């Protein structure tokens, strides 16, 4: 999709695959250490993305990237790794139907961080939606 709404299509697919990730991981993590499961998942991702990037002709010399790009992609990779380790540990000991929604508190944090660090301005309507997500997470996370 070349339209300005093309992002929505990819975001919906991301949500579908994220949901499948939780289900497949919860089933697959049985009988294996969560850190080992994260390593296996990461290895699969590396192989699949390597094939995809090569097949689609998107390979470029990574040494031509700017130091700033390397720094922030490196930091993103570290944050992703930490997130995955924590997520798999939570899935190991908790229900997927409870872990996944709490993990989505990241939606709220992205909005706050984007406002704080990127200068993004959300409308009252958008902040209301973010507040509803936060409320839903809290409702799911805490029992009476």
């Amino acid at each position: 999709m070349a339209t300005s709404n093309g992002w929505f299509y990819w975001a919906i697919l991301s949500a579908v695959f994220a949901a499948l990730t939780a289900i497949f991981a919860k089933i697959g993590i049985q009988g294996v250490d969560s850190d080992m499961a994260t390593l296996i998942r990461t290895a699969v991702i590396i192989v699949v993305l390597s094939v995809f990037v090569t097949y689609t002709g998107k390979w470029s010399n990574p040494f031509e990237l700017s130091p700033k790009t390397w720094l922030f992609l490196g930091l993103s990779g570290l944050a992703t790794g930490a997130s995955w380790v924590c997520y798999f540990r939570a899935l190991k000991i908790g229900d997927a139907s409870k872990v996944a929604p709490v993990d989505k508190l990241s939606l709220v944090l992205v909005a706050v961080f984007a406002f704080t660090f990127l200068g993004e301005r959300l409308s009252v309507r958008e902040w209301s939606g973010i507040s509803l997500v936060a409320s839903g997470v809290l409702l799911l996370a805490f029992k009476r």
Side-chain angles (χ1 to χ4, degrees), residues 76-89:
S76 176
L78 290 172
T80 298
S83 172
W84 289 354
V85 166
C86 295
Y87 185 72
F88 268 57
R89 286 188 182 182

Side-chain angles (χ1 to χ4, degrees), residues 82-136:
S83 172
W84 289 354
V85 166
C86 295
Y87 185 72
F88 268 57
R89 286 188 182 182
L91 275 179
K92 182 76 174 180
I93 58 178
D95 294 336
S97 62
K98 292 178 183 168
V99 170
V102 173
D103 176 65
K104 297 311 173 219
L105 185 60
S106 63
L107 299 171
V108 176
L109 296 174
V110 166
V112 171
F113 292 165
F115 174 82
T116 305
F117 300 114
L118 302 177
E120 293 184 10
R121 299 294 179 242
L122 281 73
S123 67
V124 171
R125 181 179 143 287
E126 292 164 331
W127 279 117
S128 297
I130 295 296
S131 297
L132 288 171
V133 170
S135 299

Side-chain angles (χ1 to χ4, degrees), residues 45-65:
I45 291 168
I46 289 170
V47 170
V48 169
L49 277 177
S50 296
V51 169
F52 178 78
V53 168
T54 302
Y55 178 75
T56 58
K58 294 181 180 181
W59 176 260
S60 63
N61 185 353
F63 296 107
E64 293 177 358
L65 298 173

Side-chain angles (χ1 to χ4, degrees), residues 7-25:
W7 65 267
F8 190 75
Y9 169 77
W10 293 107
I12 289 291
L13 284 175
S14 175
V16 169
F17 289 122
L20 289 173
T21 296
I23 301 305
F24 294 155

